[in-house]
Amino acid sequence: MPKVKTNRVKYPEGWELIEPTILELQAKMREAEIDPHDGKRKCEGLWPIFKISHQQSRYIYDLYYRRKEISKELYEFCLDQRHADRNLIAKWKKPGYERLCCLRCIQPRDHNFMTTCVCRVPKHLREEEVIECVHCGCKGCASGD
């Protein structure tokens, strides 16, 4: 017989501390998904979603690695439940990627001339003063800024 799935999720200890913030960010995400993008460019419609996803992943990353306020069990639970992006957090732990906005900015196949995104260029090396990433709307995520 097939295994019966239930919706009962056992929350680890400490979940009640981060639950209000996670629920608030999920509500913002639902608003961003529903929000009409009339008058915007095609790529600009996804920018709020990328921003909220980054914010949620950064919140969990900071709680575990910087402030050390949550346990490893709760951190793994958040990653397993997809409250944070596991691959983005893995990049943040590497030197040079501490301020990375999204994974698409470092994938060469998504850009002209097989390079990275223009937002990854440090400010002192840019020719233009104001730039925006086409993928996520970032204004600069190079670690040397």
Side-chain angles (χ1 to χ4, degrees):
M1 288 185 70
K3 187 176 178 181
V4 177
K5 291 186 177 182
T6 62
N7 290 336
R8 294 185 184 137
V9 177
K10 292 190 178 186
Y11 295 101
E13 188 176 325
W15 172 253
E16 57 278 349
L17 298 173
I18 66 170
E19 183 180 21
T21 307
I22 297 292
L23 292 177
E24 179 185 334
L25 289 170
Q26 287 176 346
K28 282 184 184 179
M29 181 69 82
R30 282 190 292 276
E31 282 181 24
E33 290 170 349
I34 295 171
D35 188 35
H37 50 271
D38 298 335
K40 295 181 184 176
R41 295 183 300 181
K42 187 176 180 181
C43 61
E44 287 179 12
L46 296 176
W47 290 357
I49 295 171
F50 275 112
K51 182 179 176 185
I52 294 167
S53 175
H54 177 273
Q55 190 176 12
Q56 191 168 356
S57 295
R58 181 57 80 170
Y59 173 69
I60 292 171
Y61 171 80
D62 285 341
L63 283 178
Y64 184 67
Y65 287 104
R66 299 255 169 103
R67 293 190 242 160
K68 302 188 185 324
E69 292 180 5
I70 61 174
S71 65
K72 181 171 180 65
E73 181 185 357
L74 180 57
Y75 173 71
E76 288 295 330
F77 174 79
C78 289
L79 294 179
D80 291 340
Q81 295 295 316
R82 298 186 184 204
H83 294 299
D85 186 358
R86 183 183 303 265
N87 297 325
L88 187 59
I89 290 176
K91 284 292 181 187
W92 285 338
K93 292 189 282 185
K94 295 181 179 179
Y97 295 99
E98 296 89 3
R99 296 182 53 209
L100 182 65
C101 55
C102 71
L103 292 172
R104 289 188 69 187
C105 289
I106 59 171
Q107 293 176 344
R109 68 170 186 232
D110 292 340
H111 304 285
N112 295 340
F113 310 112
M114 300 300 283
T115 60
T116 59
C117 184
V118 69
C119 69
R120 296 291 299 156
V121 177
K123 287 182 182 176
H124 68 278
L125 296 176
R126 294 182 193 158
E127 294 176 7
E128 299 176 24
E129 291 297 320
V130 179
I131 58 165
E132 281 183 339
C133 173
V134 177
H135 301 295
C136 60
C138 172
K139 299 193 186 317
C141 63
S143 294
D145 288 347

Coordinates of all heavy atoms in Angstrom, one line a residue, residues 25-108:
L25 N 7.0 37.8 5.5 CA 7.6 37.8 4.2 C 6.9 36.9 3.2 O 6.8 37.3 2.0 CB 9.1 37.3 4.4 CG 10.0 38.2 5.1 CD1 11.3 37.5 5.4 CD2 10.3 39.4 4.3
Q26 N 6.2 35.9 3.7 CA 5.4 35.1 2.8 C 4.2 35.8 2.3 O 3.7 35.7 1.2 CB 5.0 33.8 3.4 CG 6.1 32.8 3.6 CD 5.7 31.5 4.3 OE1 4.7 31.4 4.9 NE2 6.6 30.5 4.2
A27 N 3.6 36.7 3.2 CA 2.5 37.5 2.8 C 2.9 38.5 1.8 O 2.2 38.8 0.8 CB 1.9 38.2 4.0
K28 N 4.1 39.1 2.0 CA 4.6 40.1 1.0 C 4.8 39.4 -0.3 O 4.6 40.0 -1.4 CB 5.9 40.7 1.5 CG 5.8 41.7 2.5 CD 7.2 42.3 2.8 CE 7.2 43.3 3.9 NZ 8.5 43.8 4.2
M29 N 5.3 38.1 -0.3 CA 5.5 37.4 -1.5 C 4.2 37.1 -2.3 O 4.2 37.3 -3.5 CB 6.2 36.0 -1.2 CG 6.5 35.2 -2.4 SD 7.8 35.9 -3.4 CE 9.3 35.3 -2.6
R30 N 3.2 36.8 -1.6 CA 1.9 36.6 -2.2 C 1.4 37.9 -2.9 O 0.8 37.9 -4.0 CB 0.8 36.1 -1.2 CG 1.0 34.6 -0.9 CD -0.2 34.1 -0.1 NE -0.2 34.6 1.2 CZ 0.4 34.1 2.3 NH1 1.2 33.1 2.1 NH2 0.3 34.6 3.4
E31 N 1.6 39.0 -2.2 CA 1.2 40.3 -2.7 C 2.0 40.6 -4.0 O 1.5 41.1 -5.0 CB 1.5 41.4 -1.7 CG 0.4 41.5 -0.7 CD 0.7 42.7 0.3 OE1 1.4 43.6 -0.1 OE2 0.2 42.6 1.4
A32 N 3.3 40.3 -4.0 CA 4.2 40.6 -5.1 C 3.8 39.7 -6.3 O 3.9 40.1 -7.5 CB 5.6 40.4 -4.8
E33 N 3.4 38.5 -6.0 CA 3.0 37.6 -7.1 C 1.7 38.0 -7.8 O 1.5 37.8 -9.0 CB 2.8 36.1 -6.6 CG 4.1 35.5 -6.2 CD 4.0 34.2 -5.5 OE1 2.8 33.9 -5.0 OE2 5.0 33.5 -5.3
I34 N 0.7 38.5 -7.0 CA -0.6 39.0 -7.5 C -0.5 40.4 -8.1 O -1.3 40.6 -9.0 CB -1.6 39.0 -6.3 CG1 -1.8 37.5 -5.8 CG2 -2.9 39.6 -6.8 CD1 -2.6 37.4 -4.6
D35 N 0.4 41.2 -7.7 CA 0.5 42.6 -8.1 C 0.6 42.6 -9.6 O 1.5 42.0 -10.2 CB 1.8 43.2 -7.5 CG 1.8 44.7 -7.7 OD1 0.8 45.3 -7.8 OD2 3.0 45.2 -7.9
P36 N -0.2 43.4 -10.3 CA -0.1 43.6 -11.7 C 1.1 44.4 -12.1 O 1.5 45.3 -11.4 CB -1.4 44.3 -12.1 CG -1.8 45.1 -10.9 CD -1.3 44.2 -9.7
H37 N 1.7 44.0 -13.2 CA 2.9 44.8 -13.7 C 2.6 45.5 -15.0 O 3.4 45.4 -15.9 CB 4.1 43.9 -13.8 CG 3.9 42.6 -14.5 ND1 3.4 41.5 -13.9 CD2 4.0 42.3 -15.8 CE1 3.3 40.5 -14.8 NE2 3.7 41.0 -16.0
D38 N 1.5 46.2 -15.0 CA 1.1 47.0 -16.1 C 2.1 48.2 -16.2 O 2.4 48.9 -15.2 CB -0.3 47.5 -16.0 CG -1.3 46.4 -16.0 OD1 -1.0 45.3 -16.5 OD2 -2.4 46.6 -15.4
G39 N 2.6 48.5 -17.4 CA 3.4 49.7 -17.6 C 4.9 49.4 -17.3 O 5.7 50.3 -17.5
K40 N 5.2 48.2 -16.8 CA 6.6 47.8 -16.6 C 7.1 47.0 -17.7 O 6.4 46.4 -18.4 CB 6.7 47.0 -15.3 CG 6.3 47.8 -14.0 CD 6.4 46.9 -12.8 CE 5.9 47.6 -11.6 NZ 6.0 46.7 -10.4
R41 N 8.5 47.0 -17.8 CA 9.1 46.1 -18.7 C 8.8 44.6 -18.3 O 8.5 44.4 -17.2 CB 10.6 46.3 -18.8 CG 11.0 47.7 -19.3 CD 12.4 47.8 -19.4 NE 13.0 47.7 -18.1 CZ 14.3 47.7 -17.8 NH1 15.2 48.0 -18.8 NH2 14.8 47.6 -16.6
K42 N 9.0 43.7 -19.2 CA 8.7 42.3 -19.0 C 9.6 41.8 -17.8 O 9.1 41.1 -17.0 CB 9.0 41.5 -20.2 CG 8.6 40.1 -20.2 CD 8.9 39.4 -21.5 CE 8.5 37.9 -21.5 NZ 8.8 37.3 -22.8
C43 N 10.8 42.2 -17.8 CA 11.7 41.7 -16.7 C 11.4 42.3 -15.3 O 11.7 41.7 -14.3 CB 13.2 41.9 -17.1 SG 13.6 43.6 -17.3
E44 N 10.9 43.5 -15.3 CA 10.6 44.2 -14.1 C 9.5 43.6 -13.2 O 9.4 43.9 -12.0 CB 10.3 45.7 -14.3 CG 11.4 46.5 -14.8 CD 11.0 48.0 -15.1 OE1 9.9 48.4 -14.7 OE2 11.9 48.7 -15.6
G45 N 8.7 42.8 -13.8 CA 7.6 42.2 -13.1 C 8.1 41.2 -12.0 O 7.4 41.0 -11.0
L46 N 9.2 40.6 -12.2 CA 9.8 39.6 -11.3 C 10.7 40.2 -10.2 O 11.0 39.5 -9.3 CB 10.5 38.5 -12.1 CG 9.7 37.7 -13.0 CD1 10.6 36.7 -13.8 CD2 8.6 36.9 -12.3
W47 N 11.1 41.4 -10.4 CA 12.0 42.0 -9.4 C 11.5 42.0 -8.0 O 12.3 41.7 -7.1 CB 12.4 43.4 -9.9 CG 13.2 43.5 -11.1 CD1 13.7 42.5 -11.8 CD2 13.7 44.7 -11.7 NE1 14.5 42.9 -12.9 CE2 14.4 44.3 -12.9 CE3 13.5 46.0 -11.5 CZ2 15.0 45.2 -13.7 CZ3 14.1 46.9 -12.4 CH2 14.8 46.5 -13.5
P48 N 10.3 42.3 -7.7 CA 9.9 42.3 -6.3 C 9.9 40.9 -5.7 O 10.2 40.7 -4.5 CB 8.4 42.8 -6.3 CG 8.3 43.5 -7.6 CD 9.2 42.9 -8.5
I49 N 9.7 39.9 -6.5 CA 9.7 38.5 -6.1 C 11.2 38.1 -5.7 O 11.4 37.5 -4.7 CB 9.1 37.6 -7.1 CG1 7.6 37.9 -7.3 CG2 9.3 36.1 -6.8 CD1 7.0 37.2 -8.4
F50 N 12.1 38.5 -6.6 CA 13.5 38.2 -6.3 C 14.0 38.9 -5.0 O 14.7 38.4 -4.2 CB 14.4 38.7 -7.5 CG 14.5 37.7 -8.5 CD1 14.0 37.9 -9.8 CD2 15.2 36.5 -8.3 CE1 14.1 37.0 -10.8 CE2 15.4 35.6 -9.4 CZ 14.8 35.8 -10.6
K51 N 13.5 40.2 -4.8 CA 13.9 41.0 -3.7 C 13.4 40.3 -2.4 O 14.1 40.2 -1.4 CB 13.3 42.4 -3.8 CG 13.7 43.3 -2.7 CD 13.1 44.7 -2.9 CE 13.4 45.6 -1.7 NZ 12.8 46.9 -1.9
I52 N 12.1 39.9 -2.4 CA 11.6 39.3 -1.2 C 12.2 37.9 -0.9 O 12.5 37.6 0.3 CB 10.1 39.1 -1.3 CG1 9.4 40.5 -1.3 CG2 9.5 38.3 -0.1 CD1 8.0 40.6 -1.7
S53 N 12.5 37.1 -1.9 CA 13.2 35.8 -1.7 C 14.6 36.0 -1.2 O 15.0 35.3 -0.3 CB 13.2 35.1 -3.1 OG 14.0 34.0 -3.0
H54 N 15.3 37.0 -1.7 CA 16.6 37.4 -1.2 C 16.5 37.8 0.3 O 17.3 37.4 1.1 CB 17.2 38.5 -2.0 CG 18.6 39.0 -1.5 ND1 18.7 39.9 -0.6 CD2 19.8 38.6 -1.9 CE1 20.0 40.1 -0.4 NE2 20.7 39.3 -1.1
Q55 N 15.5 38.6 0.6 CA 15.4 39.1 2.0 C 15.1 38.0 3.0 O 15.7 37.9 4.1 CB 14.2 40.1 2.0 CG 14.0 40.9 3.2 CD 12.9 41.9 3.1 OE1 12.1 41.9 2.1 NE2 12.8 42.8 4.0
Q56 N 14.3 37.0 2.6 CA 14.0 35.9 3.4 C 15.2 35.0 3.6 O 15.5 34.6 4.7 CB 12.8 35.1 2.8 CG 12.2 34.1 3.7 CD 10.9 33.5 3.1 OE1 10.4 34.0 2.1 NE2 10.3 32.6 3.8
S57 N 15.9 34.7 2.5 CA 17.1 33.9 2.7 C 18.2 34.6 3.5 O 18.8 34.0 4.3 CB 17.7 33.6 1.3 OG 16.8 32.8 0.5
R58 N 18.3 35.9 3.3 CA 19.3 36.7 4.1 C 19.0 36.7 5.6 O 19.8 36.6 6.5 CB 19.4 38.1 3.6 CG 20.4 39.0 4.3 CD 21.8 38.4 4.3 NE 22.5 38.7 3.0 CZ 23.8 38.4 2.9 NH1 24.5 38.0 3.9 NH2 24.4 38.6 1.7
Y59 N 17.7 36.7 5.9 CA 17.2 36.7 7.3 C 17.6 35.4 8.0 O 18.2 35.5 9.1 CB 15.7 36.9 7.3 CG 15.1 36.8 8.7 CD1 15.3 37.7 9.7 CD2 14.3 35.7 9.0 CE1 14.8 37.6 11.0 CE2 13.7 35.5 10.3 CZ 14.0 36.5 11.2 OH 13.4 36.3 12.5
I60 N 17.4 34.3 7.3 CA 17.7 33.0 7.9 C 19.2 32.8 8.0 O 19.8 32.3 9.0 CB 17.0 31.9 7.2 CG1 15.5 32.0 7.4 CG2 17.6 30.5 7.6 CD1 14.7 31.1 6.6
Y61 N 19.9 33.3 7.0 CA 21.4 33.2 6.9 C 22.0 34.0 8.1 O 22.9 33.5 8.8 CB 21.9 33.7 5.6 CG 23.4 33.9 5.5 CD1 24.2 32.8 5.3 CD2 24.0 35.1 5.7 CE1 25.6 33.0 5.2 CE2 25.4 35.3 5.6 CZ 26.2 34.2 5.4 OH 27.5 34.4 5.3
D62 N 21.5 35.2 8.3 CA 22.0 36.1 9.4 C 21.7 35.5 10.7 O 22.6 35.5 11.7 CB 21.4 37.5 9.3 CG 22.1 38.3 8.2 OD1 23.2 37.9 7.7 OD2 21.4 39.3 7.8
L63 N 20.5 34.9 10.9 CA 20.2 34.3 12.2 C 21.1 33.1 12.5 O 21.5 33.0 13.7 CB 18.8 33.8 12.2 CG 17.7 34.9 12.4 CD1 16.3 34.2 12.3 CD2 17.8 35.6 13.7
Y64 N 21.5 32.4 11.6 CA 22.3 31.2 11.8 C 23.8 31.5 11.8 O 24.5 31.1 12.8 CB 22.0 30.1 10.8 CG 22.7 28.8 11.1 CD1 22.4 28.0 12.2 CD2 23.7 28.3 10.3 CE1 23.1 26.9 12.5 CE2 24.4 27.2 10.6 CZ 24.1 26.4 11.7 OH 24.7 25.3 12.0
Y65 N 24.3 32.2 10.8 CA 25.8 32.3 10.7 C 26.3 33.6 11.4 O 27.4 33.5 12.0 CB 26.2 32.4 9.2 CG 26.1 31.0 8.6 CD1 25.1 30.7 7.7 CD2 27.1 30.1 8.9 CE1 25.0 29.5 7.2 CE2 27.0 28.8 8.3 CZ 26.0 28.5 7.4 OH 25.9 27.3 6.8
R66 N 25.6 34.7 11.4 CA 26.1 35.9 12.0 C 25.7 36.0 13.4 O 26.6 36.2 14.3 CB 25.6 37.1 11.2 CG 25.9 37.1 9.7 CD 27.0 38.1 9.5 NE 27.6 37.9 8.1 CZ 27.3 38.7 7.1 NH1 26.5 39.7 7.2 NH2 27.9 38.4 5.9
R67 N 24.4 36.0 13.7 CA 24.0 36.2 15.1 C 24.0 34.9 16.0 O 23.9 35.0 17.2 CB 22.6 36.8 15.1 CG 22.5 38.2 14.5 CD 21.2 38.8 14.8 NE 20.6 39.1 13.5 CZ 19.3 39.3 13.4 NH1 18.5 39.2 14.4 NH2 18.8 39.6 12.2
K68 N 24.0 33.8 15.3 CA 23.9 32.5 16.0 C 22.8 32.3 17.0 O 22.9 31.9 18.1 CB 25.3 32.2 16.7 CG 26.4 32.2 15.7 CD 27.7 31.7 16.3 CE 28.9 31.8 15.5 NZ 28.9 31.6 14.1
E69 N 21.6 32.7 16.5 CA 20.4 32.7 17.4 C 19.5 31.5 17.1 O 18.6 31.3 17.9 CB 19.6 34.0 17.2 CG 20.3 35.2 17.6 CD 19.4 36.5 17.4 OE1 18.3 36.4 17.0 OE2 20.0 37.6 17.7
I70 N 19.7 30.8 16.1 CA 18.9 29.6 15.8 C 19.8 28.4 15.8 O 21.0 28.5 15.5 CB 18.1 29.7 14.5 CG1 18.9 29.9 13.3 CG2 17.1 30.9 14.6 CD1 18.2 29.8 12.0
S71 N 19.2 27.2 16.0 CA 20.0 26.0 16.0 C 20.1 25.4 14.6 O 19.5 25.8 13.7 CB 19.2 24.9 16.9 OG 18.0 24.6 16.3
K72 N 21.1 24.5 14.5 CA 21.3 23.8 13.2 C 20.1 23.1 12.8 O 19.7 23.1 11.6 CB 22.5 22.9 13.3 CG 22.8 22.2 12.0 CD 24.1 21.5 12.1 CE 24.5 20.8 10.8 NZ 24.8 21.7 9.7
E73 N 19.3 22.5 13.7 CA 18.1 21.8 13.4 C 17.1 22.7 12.8 O 16.5 22.4 11.7 CB 17.6 21.1 14.6 CG 16.3 20.3 14.4 CD 15.7 19.8 15.7 OE1 16.3 20.0 16.8 OE2 14.7 19.2 15.6
L74 N 16.9 23.9 13.3 CA 15.9 24.9 12.8 C 16.4 25.4 11.5 O 15.6 25.6 10.6 CB 15.7 26.0 13.8 CG 14.7 27.1 13.4 CD1 13.4 26.5 13.1 CD2 14.6 28.1 14.5
Y75 N 17.7 25.6 11.3 CA 18.3 26.1 10.1 C 18.0 25.1 9.0 O 17.5 25.5 7.9 CB 19.8 26.4 10.3 CG 20.5 26.7 9.0 CD1 20.3 27.9 8.4 CD2 21.4 25.8 8.5 CE1 21.0 28.3 7.2 CE2 22.1 26.1 7.3 CZ 21.9 27.3 6.7 OH 22.6 27.6 5.5
E76 N 18.3 23.9 9.2 CA 18.1 22.8 8.2 C 16.6 22.7 7.9 O 16.2 22.4 6.8 CB 18.7 21.5 8.7 CG 20.2 21.4 8.7 CD 20.7 21.5 7.3 OE1 20.1 21.1 6.3 OE2 21.9 22.0 7.2
F77 N 15.7 22.8 8.9 CA 14.3 22.7 8.7 C 13.9 23.9 7.8 O 13.1 23.6 6.8 CB 13.6 22.9 10.1 CG 12.1 23.0 9.9 CD1 11.3 21.8 9.7 CD2 11.4 24.2 10.0 CE1 9.9 21.9 9.6 CE2 10.1 24.3 9.9 CZ 9.3 23.2 9.7
C78 N 14.4 25.1 8.0 CA 14.0 26.2 7.1 C 14.5 25.9 5.7 O 13.7 26.3 4.7 CB 14.6 27.5 7.6 SG 13.8 28.1 9.1
L79 N 15.6 25.4 5.5 CA 16.1 25.1 4.1 C 15.3 23.9 3.5 O 14.9 24.0 2.3 CB 17.6 24.7 4.2 CG 18.6 25.7 4.6 CD1 20.0 25.2 4.6 CD2 18.5 26.9 3.7
D80 N 14.9 22.9 4.3 CA 14.1 21.8 3.8 C 12.7 22.3 3.4 O 12.1 21.8 2.4 CB 14.1 20.7 4.8 CG 15.4 20.0 5.0 OD1 16.3 20.1 4.1 OD2 15.6 19.3 6.0
Q81 N 12.2 23.2 4.1 CA 10.8 23.7 3.9 C 10.8 24.8 2.8 O 9.8 25.4 2.5 CB 10.2 24.2 5.2 CG 9.9 23.1 6.2 CD 8.9 22.1 5.7 OE1 7.9 22.5 5.1 NE2 9.2 20.8 5.9
R82 N 12.0 25.1 2.3 CA 12.2 26.1 1.3 C 11.8 27.6 1.7 O 11.3 28.3 0.9 CB 11.5 25.8 0.0 CG 12.0 24.5 -0.6 CD 11.4 24.1 -1.9 NE 11.9 22.8 -2.3 CZ 12.0 22.4 -3.5 NH1 11.7 23.2 -4.5 NH2 12.5 21.2 -3.8
H83 N 12.1 27.8 3.0 CA 11.9 29.2 3.4 C 13.1 30.0 3.0 O 13.1 31.3 3.1 CB 11.8 29.2 5.0 CG 10.5 28.6 5.4 ND1 9.2 29.1 5.0 CD2 10.3 27.5 6.2 CE1 8.3 28.3 5.6 NE2 8.9 27.4 6.3
A84 N 14.2 29.4 2.7 CA 15.5 30.0 2.2 C 16.1 29.3 1.1 O 15.8 28.0 0.9 CB 16.4 30.1 3.4
D85 N 16.8 29.9 0.2 CA 17.5 29.3 -0.9 C 18.8 28.7 -0.5 O 19.8 29.4 -0.2 CB 17.6 30.4 -2.0 CG 18.2 29.8 -3.3 OD1 18.4 28.6 -3.4 OD2 18.3 30.5 -4.3
R86 N 18.9 27.4 -0.5 CA 20.1 26.7 -0.1 C 21.3 27.0 -0.9 O 22.4 27.3 -0.4 CB 19.8 25.2 -0.1 CG 21.0 24.3 0.4 CD 20.6 22.9 0.2 NE 19.4 22.5 0.9 CZ 19.4 21.9 2.2 NH1 20.5 21.8 2.8 NH2 18.3 21.6 2.7
N87 N 21.1 27.1 -2.2 CA 22.3 27.4 -3.1 C 22.8 28.8 -3.0 O 24.0 29.1 -3.1 CB 21.9 27.1 -4.6 CG 21.5 25.7 -4.8 OD1 22.1 24.8 -4.2 ND2 20.5 25.4 -5.6
L88 N 21.9 29.8 -2.8 CA 22.3 31.2 -2.6 C 23.1 31.3 -1.3 O 24.1 32.0 -1.3 CB 21.1 32.1 -2.6 CG 21.3 33.6 -2.6 CD1 22.2 34.0 -3.8 CD2 20.0 34.3 -2.6
I89 N 22.6 30.7 -0.2 CA 23.3 30.7 1.0 C 24.7 30.1 0.9 O 25.7 30.6 1.5 CB 22.5 30.1 2.1 CG1 21.3 31.0 2.4 CG2 23.3 29.9 3.4 CD1 20.3 30.4 3.4
A90 N 24.8 29.0 0.1 CA 26.1 28.4 -0.1 C 27.1 29.3 -0.7 O 28.3 29.3 -0.4 CB 25.9 27.1 -0.9
K91 N 26.6 30.1 -1.7 CA 27.5 31.1 -2.3 C 27.9 32.2 -1.3 O 29.0 32.7 -1.4 CB 26.8 31.8 -3.5 CG 26.8 30.8 -4.7 CD 28.2 30.7 -5.2 CE 28.2 29.8 -6.5 NZ 29.5 29.4 -6.9
W92 N 26.9 32.7 -0.5 CA 27.3 33.7 0.5 C 28.4 33.4 1.4 O 29.1 34.2 1.9 CB 26.0 34.1 1.3 CG 25.0 34.9 0.6 CD1 25.2 35.7 -0.5 CD2 23.6 35.0 0.9 NE1 24.0 36.2 -0.9 CE2 23.0 35.9 -0.1 CE3 22.8 34.5 1.9 CZ2 21.7 36.2 0.0 CZ3 21.5 34.8 1.9 CH2 20.9 35.7 1.0
K93 N 28.6 32.1 1.7 CA 29.6 31.7 2.6 C 31.0 31.7 1.9 O 32.0 31.7 2.6 CB 29.4 30.2 3.0 CG 28.1 30.1 3.9 CD 28.0 28.8 4.6 CE 27.5 27.8 3.6 NZ 27.2 26.5 4.2
K94 N 31.1 31.9 0.6 CA 32.4 31.9 -0.1 C 32.8 33.3 -0.2 O 32.0 34.3 -0.4 CB 32.2 31.3 -1.5 CG 31.9 29.9 -1.5 CD 31.8 29.3 -2.9 CE 31.5 27.8 -2.9 NZ 31.3 27.3 -4.2
P95 N 34.2 33.6 -0.2 CA 34.7 34.9 -0.3 C 34.4 35.5 -1.7 O 34.6 34.8 -2.7 CB 36.2 34.8 0.0 CG 36.5 33.3 -0.1 CD 35.2 32.6 0.1
G96 N 34.0 36.7 -1.7 CA 33.7 37.4 -2.9 C 32.2 37.4 -3.3 O 31.8 38.1 -4.2
Y97 N 31.5 36.6 -2.6 CA 30.0 36.5 -3.0 C 29.2 36.8 -1.8 O 28.0 36.5 -1.7 CB 29.7 35.0 -3.4 CG 30.4 34.6 -4.6 CD1 31.5 33.8 -4.6 CD2 29.8 34.9 -5.9 CE1 32.2 33.4 -5.8 CE2 30.5 34.5 -7.0 CZ 31.6 33.8 -7.0 OH 32.2 33.4 -8.1
E98 N 29.7 37.6 -0.8 CA 29.0 37.9 0.4 C 27.7 38.7 0.2 O 26.8 38.6 0.9 CB 29.9 38.6 1.4 CG 31.1 37.9 1.9 CD 32.3 38.0 1.0 OE1 32.2 38.8 0.0 OE2 33.3 37.3 1.3
R99 N 27.7 39.5 -0.9 CA 26.6 40.4 -1.2 C 25.8 40.0 -2.4 O 25.1 40.8 -3.0 CB 27.1 41.8 -1.3 CG 27.7 42.4 0.0 CD 28.1 43.8 -0.2 NE 27.0 44.6 -0.7 CZ 27.2 45.7 -1.4 NH1 28.4 46.1 -1.7 NH2 26.2 46.4 -1.8
L100 N 26.0 38.8 -2.9 CA 25.4 38.3 -4.1 C 23.8 38.4 -4.0 O 23.2 38.1 -3.0 CB 25.7 36.9 -4.4 CG 25.2 36.2 -5.6 CD1 25.8 36.9 -6.9 CD2 25.5 34.7 -5.6
C101 N 23.2 39.0 -5.1 CA 21.8 39.2 -5.0 C 21.0 38.0 -5.5 O 20.0 37.7 -4.9 CB 21.4 40.5 -5.9 SG 22.1 40.3 -7.6
C102 N 21.4 37.4 -6.6 CA 20.7 36.2 -7.0 C 21.7 35.3 -7.8 O 22.8 35.8 -8.2 CB 19.5 36.5 -7.9 SG 19.9 37.2 -9.5
L103 N 21.4 34.1 -8.0 CA 22.3 33.1 -8.7 C 22.4 33.4 -10.2 O 23.3 33.0 -10.8 CB 21.8 31.7 -8.4 CG 22.0 31.2 -7.0 CD1 21.4 29.9 -6.8 CD2 23.5 31.2 -6.6
R104 N 21.4 34.0 -10.8 CA 21.4 34.3 -12.2 C 22.5 35.3 -12.6 O 22.9 35.3 -13.7 CB 20.0 34.8 -12.7 CG 19.0 33.7 -12.7 CD 17.7 34.1 -13.3 NE 17.9 34.3 -14.7 CZ 17.0 34.8 -15.5 NH1 15.8 35.2 -15.0 NH2 17.2 34.9 -16.8
C105 N 22.9 36.1 -11.6 CA 23.9 37.1 -11.9 C 25.3 36.6 -12.1 O 26.1 37.2 -12.6 CB 23.9 38.2 -10.8 SG 22.4 39.2 -10.8
I106 N 25.5 35.3 -11.6 CA 26.8 34.8 -11.8 C 26.9 33.6 -12.8 O 27.9 33.0 -13.0 CB 27.4 34.3 -10.4 CG1 26.5 33.2 -9.8 CG2 27.6 35.4 -9.5 CD1 27.0 32.5 -8.6
Q107 N 25.8 33.3 -13.4 CA 25.7 32.3 -14.5 C 26.1 32.9 -15.8 O 25.3 33.7 -16.4 CB 24.3 31.6 -14.5 CG 24.0 30.9 -13.3 CD 22.6 30.3 -13.3 OE1 21.8 30.7 -14.1 NE2 22.4 29.4 -12.4
P108 N 27.2 32.5 -16.4 CA 27.6 33.1 -17.7 C 26.7 32.8 -18.8 O 26.6 33.6 -19.8 CB 29.0 32.4 -17.9 CG 29.4 31.7 -16.7 CD 28.2 31.6 -15.8

